[in-house]
Amino acid sequence: MNDPAITEDIIAAHGFTPDEWAEVLSILGREPNFTEMGIFSAMWNEHCSYKSSKKWLRTLPTTGPQVICGPGENAGIVDIGDGQAVVFKMESHNHPSYIEPYQGAATGVGGILRDVFTMGARPIAAMNALSFGEVSHPKTKRLVAGVVEGVGGYGNAFGVPTVGGEVRFHPAYNGNCLVNAFAAGLADADKIFYSAASGIGMPVVYLGAKTGRDGVGGATMASAEFDDSIEEKRPTVQVGDPFTEKRLLEACLELMATGAVISIQDMGAAGLTCSAVEMGDKGGLGVKLNLDAVPQREENMTPYEMMLSESQERMLMVLNPELEAQAKAIFDKWDLDFAIVGETLADDHFVIEHKGQIVADLPLSKLSSTAPEYDRPHVPTPLAAPYNVSIDTTPIAALKALIASPNYARKHWVWQQYDSQVMADTIQPPGLGAGIVRVHGTAKMLAFTSDVTPRYVKANPHEGGKQAVAEAFRNLCAVGAKPLATTDNLNFGNPEKPQIMGQLVGAIQGIGEACLALDTPIVSGNVSLYNETDGEPILPTPTIGAVGLIANPDDLIAGTAQEGDYALLIGETTGHLGQSALLAEANGLEAGDAPQVDLTAERRNGDFLRTNGAMVHAASDLSDGGLALAAFEMADTAGLGVTLDDTDIAQLFGEDQARYLVACGFDQAEALMTAAGQAGVSIKQVGRFGGDTVTFGGDTATLTELSALYRSSFADAVA
């Protein structure tokens, strides 16, 4: 084995700081060989160790009576009653998707699906949150096309409905797009599988596809900024096969039903290294692997390559040895590899053998739970300057500025590339608010949403973090779902810069405050840092994925406005335009503070809407674009005109929080206003639905004209 000499350049290329390398030497009492260095690099990089964020992640609320399993496993698990649980998580695949859009996005979907079915759950829904640079940037159209095709290509072939998500454009993402993938699955609450190894001398089994050289070093690449050497990183992007993953799903679920699985772990970032180390560390055991037994699709692979490959569609399992033959027969039937590649050890060692030689012998616990942890310097984000521009526009012109922008135009160009109906349980597909999926064989439904407003977070990380959770809460309430829990995907720049670290800390504090107040604990998540190119960071983008339960079909709010319906506004309006969509799209300005989030009002108003949902035909939360954009979107969906009485731009387009627009008949409107008075909830009539025009304070355009603009602008911009 001719390993390269370990030089200072190679050490730096593997992501070690001088202090970290000195710590490695101290732990071992010797210099590691090349394979051992690669293993330390994989486990200690930001992507796997969360060394810059775990101090702050520990402050998040993660428990509650509904929580079966919080952060630390492959996915979070929440009780939905009747012995059933929903399993879900969101993760990033940002760097790979910028380098190779199709495969980066596709394998992001594949990885998050494995996180879910590794727990014993059958996936039932997927979402994605995508952030791209400005449309005019030379790379944007290629990235959009490749990412959307990759998401659809993998999810559609695997057979999971994509029911929601978001797409945004901003110059801050010109050099670093974001691809955040969410998946949820159903499991029996008493048949959940975890990753902690148990038992000494138990066989460690490799499952799934063969190992190749794709993705070697992917986790380390994901923990570094980009520069002009980006094209050299293309080989670190994994290659996915959704049809193999579908077979792996069926084989794993069949295997789990036999009782053969003691513990199981997806091979994701850092591949065989991370999966083996995490299983051993969680179980307080060591692990010994024999690489000669690892199924390989390429010749002459080195131990370094095998341990750090991120080839897709692979699992690692600790097996009940009495059921080995039965387990192997299942994987043979599904035409997947099944190989005993090692065993669990009593002592704290990670031992790797190859061709009769020990090529790595490391203290296992030092690789995972005792990896470096930093309390990085951070500075608060200074208060944003107030906006002082005069907004000189008419209401309809302002609306046109929004709906002509790819940020707020209808995204059916994206959604039509995703199969939202596979499995035949989708109640509400993308584009109509939170996605809704029936819990097959029951009267229950689950709702899913993904939300964040990055310009709020940049202006005010604490309020922006709160707002992301609050908007997710509102999106669930607007379809009648009781919010259960959340997952977060924290996308930020270089945490070694105090101002970036300040954004991360502020956002986590805001997220934690909101999750606690709204009873939506964080049960899983992902941190993606170093999202910078040539020193230019992305907007801070802490995406929140949220899940809610509709326990009874009568609770569902999924209709459309009807002719003559009253438009009622729930919540207080002051006309906050700081950091608003209107300023950004109509004036090219991002200024002012983010809107303040009153969490007491959020909970009160959301609970009120859900309690009285039977009175309304349709509901929408108010966020970007305020009352005006929400009213137009409801009108477009219903194919009806809408009239709003107000003439004031700030009242129409302000982005005050804790607000909903609902459509209902006269009798229901009266009853709803009476109930609101009794509950201490602000409510007022702001207009009517009907006819074929959109009229804001006397300013009018036809619905046909506006809908044509709304429905064509996105494809015109990116296709």
Side-chain angles (χ1 to χ4, degrees):
M1 187 171 59
N2 297 315
D3 285 341
I6 297 178
T7 65
E8 288 187 6
D9 287 346
I10 287 180
I11 293 168
H14 280 74
F16 292 104
T17 66
D19 287 345
E20 288 171 350
W21 185 247
E23 181 65 15
V24 170
L25 298 179
S26 174
I27 288 170
L28 296 182
R30 60 177 173 83
E31 185 173 271
N33 62 38
F34 189 65
T35 300
E36 291 173 326
M37 178 189 66
I39 291 170
F40 263 106
S41 169
M43 293 306 303
W44 282 16
N45 68 60
E46 193 73 55
H47 192 73
C48 293
S49 72
Y50 296 113
K51 57 190 175 186
S52 296
S53 58
K54 54 189 174 183
K55 166 186 169 65
W56 300 100
L57 296 177
R58 292 192 192 101
T59 67
L60 291 170
T62 59
T63 60
Q66 71 273 44
V67 177
I68 295 173
C69 177
E73 273 292 342
N74 288 290
I77 309 175
V78 174
D79 192 343
I80 61 169
D82 307 310
Q84 293 180 303
V86 59
V87 180
F88 63 96
K89 189 182 186 183
M90 179 175 273
E91 278 203 343
S92 61
H93 230 222
N94 302 334
H95 285 53
S97 298
Y98 188 74
I99 298 168
E100 180 52 66
Y102 182 93
Q103 290 296 347
T107 52
V109 174
I112 199 66
L113 289 169
R114 285 196 305 280
D115 281 338
V116 166
F117 70 76
T118 300
M119 306 291 292
R122 179 174 291 278
I124 61 164
M127 297 189 296
N128 53 86
L130 312 177
S131 302
F132 299 102
E134 56 193 331
V135 172
S136 61
H137 189 274
K139 287 188 176 181
T140 297
K141 289 184 179 180
R142 181 182 70 86
L143 289 170
V144 172
V147 166
V148 171
E149 187 179 356
V151 169
Y154 204 102
N156 297 351
F158 177 85
V160 62
T162 299
V163 299
E166 51 188 340
V167 185
R168 70 178 55 85
F169 298 86
H170 191 280
Y173 305 104
N174 280 348
N176 202 128
C177 66
L178 302 183
V179 175
N180 294 174
F182 170 100
L186 281 175
D188 291 338
D190 60 350
K191 296 176 183 174
I192 293 166
F193 292 82
Y194 298 97
S195 60
S198 63
I200 298 167
M202 293 291 111
V204 175
V205 182
Y206 174 114
L207 306 171
K210 288 179 167 57
T211 294
R213 291 187 171 93
D214 55 316
V216 172
T220 300
M221 175 271 292
S223 302
E225 296 181 35
F226 284 152
D227 54 29
D228 55 12
S229 66
I230 184 173
E231 290 302 319
E232 299 171 11
K233 296 180 170 67
R234 192 172 299 275
T236 63
V237 178
Q238 312 92 326
V239 177
D241 178 356
F243 300 105
T244 297
E245 179 122 332
K246 173 65 172 173
R247 288 185 286 124
L248 183 61
L249 162 70
E250 300 300 342
C252 284
L253 294 183
E254 188 174 340
L255 177 68
M256 289 165 172
T258 67
V261 178
I262 294 175
S263 61
I264 190 165
Q265 172 74 40
D266 162 44
M267 280 197 233
L272 194 54
T273 289
C274 193
S275 56
V277 169
E278 288 191 357
M279 290 176 75
D281 186 59
K282 289 174 184 175
L285 298 171
V287 174
K288 181 178 181 180
L289 298 178
N290 175 13
L291 298 186
D292 298 333
V294 172
Q296 300 161 55
R297 67 167 182 260
E298 299 185 45
E299 295 182 356
N300 302 317
M301 290 189 69
T302 66
Y304 177 97
E305 290 170 331
M306 280 188 274
M307 292 306 297
L308 299 187
S309 166
E310 294 184 8
S311 294
Q312 297 292 286
E313 293 87 43
R314 301 180 301 159
M315 299 283 200
L316 201 64
M317 172 183 71
V318 177
L319 172 72
N320 178 346
E322 296 177 0
L323 297 175
E324 177 186 338
Q326 187 176 353
K328 185 177 187 307
I330 291 170
F331 274 75
D332 287 345
K333 181 184 78 171
W334 288 102
D335 194 24
L336 294 165
D337 280 296
F338 177 100
I340 296 177
V341 296
E343 63 178 335
T344 57
L345 304 175
D347 54 359
D348 182 28
H349 278 268
F350 189 37
V351 181
I352 313 297
E353 290 186 350
H354 183 240
K355 295 184 177 179
Q357 294 183 324
I358 293 178
V359 296
D361 187 352
L362 302 169
L364 187 143
S365 63
K366 297 295 184 182
L367 296 167
S368 184
S369 57
T370 54
E373 179 177 336
Y374 295 120
D375 184 4
R376 295 199 184 276
H378 60 279
V379 296
T381 299
L383 188 66
Y387 71 92
N388 57 7
V389 64
S390 174
I391 301 176
D392 184 18
T393 185
T394 65
I396 293 299
L399 177 66
K400 287 180 177 179
L402 293 183
I403 62 177
S405 161
N407 279 311
Y408 304 108
R410 194 168 187 265
K411 307 296 193 304
H412 65 281
W413 182 89
V414 176
W415 305 322
Q416 69 187 6
Q417 298 185 54
Y418 304 152
D419 188 342
S420 64
Q421 299 298 328
V422 65
M423 300 179 74
D425 281 321
T426 302
I427 301 295
Q428 182 155 285
L432 299 172
I436 305 171
V437 172
R438 180 188 299 109
V439 179
H440 197 78
T442 77
K444 295 179 294 191
M445 289 167 267
L446 288 167
F448 306 98
T449 188
S450 166
D451 297 287
V452 67
T453 308
R455 64 181 181 276
Y456 291 173
V457 187
K458 183 179 180 182
N460 188 327
H462 186 265
E463 288 300 318
K466 285 167 59 178
Q467 192 275 339
V469 176
E471 186 175 345
F473 177 87
R474 290 199 302 273
N475 275 330
L476 296 176
C477 291
V479 297
K482 176 178 173 55
L484 292 177
T486 51
T487 180
D488 59 359
N489 202 150
L490 307 178
N491 308 272
F492 290 82
N494 185 343
E496 297 167 44
K497 298 177 180 178
Q499 66 273 26
I500 300 294
M501 194 65 206
Q503 293 175 346
L504 176 64
V505 171
I508 290 175
Q509 290 173 333
I511 289 167
E513 183 180 337
C515 287
L516 194 63
L518 301 176
D519 193 21
T520 55
I522 296 279
V523 297
S524 59
N526 172 246
V527 179
S528 175
L529 304 180
Y530 296 95
N531 289 288
E532 300 197 7
T533 296
D534 295 327
E536 292 297 320
I538 61 164
L539 291 180
T541 311
T543 309
I544 298 295
V547 177
L549 176 66
I550 302 171
N552 188 304
D554 293 339
D555 297 334
L556 175 66
I557 307 171
T560 59
Q562 298 178 16
E563 181 71 37
D565 270 356
Y566 287 79
L568 302 184
L569 176 62
I570 297 171
E572 297 278 359
T573 301
T574 65
H576 183 95
L577 286 173
Q579 298 298 330
S580 66
L582 181 65
L583 279 187
E585 301 296 345
N587 296 82
L589 182 67
E590 294 177 20
D593 196 6
Q596 298 296 299
V597 180
D598 181 340
L599 294 169
T600 300
E602 291 285 0
R603 184 151 188 176
R604 179 182 65 241
N605 295 355
D607 289 349
F608 171 78
L609 176 58
R610 289 200 322 277
T611 300
N612 295 281
M615 297 188 196
V616 307
H617 293 141
S620 173
D621 89 297
L622 268 57
S623 51
D624 293 275
L627 171 63
L629 186 57
F632 168 74
E633 289 176 343
M634 289 176 67
D636 176 79
T637 298
L640 289 173
V642 63
T643 298
L644 295 180
D645 302 326
D646 216 310
T647 61
D648 184 72
I649 290 289
Q651 293 290 310
L652 289 168
F653 292 91
E655 296 180 5
D656 304 280
Q657 302 295 294
R659 297 187 301 158
Y660 301 85
L661 181 64
V662 301
C664 56
F666 175 80
D667 290 343
Q668 290 77 18
E670 277 199 331
L672 201 62
M673 295 178 84
T674 299
Q678 295 169 348
V681 169
S682 172
I683 190 170
K684 67 176 182 177
Q685 182 191 344
V686 291
R688 297 283 294 271
F689 288 94
D692 57 6
T693 62
V694 174
T695 303
F696 293 166
D699 195 16
T700 297
T702 67
L703 179 66
T704 300
E705 174 197 357
L706 295 174
S707 290
L709 179 64
Y710 179 55
R711 291 166 180 257
S712 64
S713 294
F714 188 90
D716 289 348
V718 305

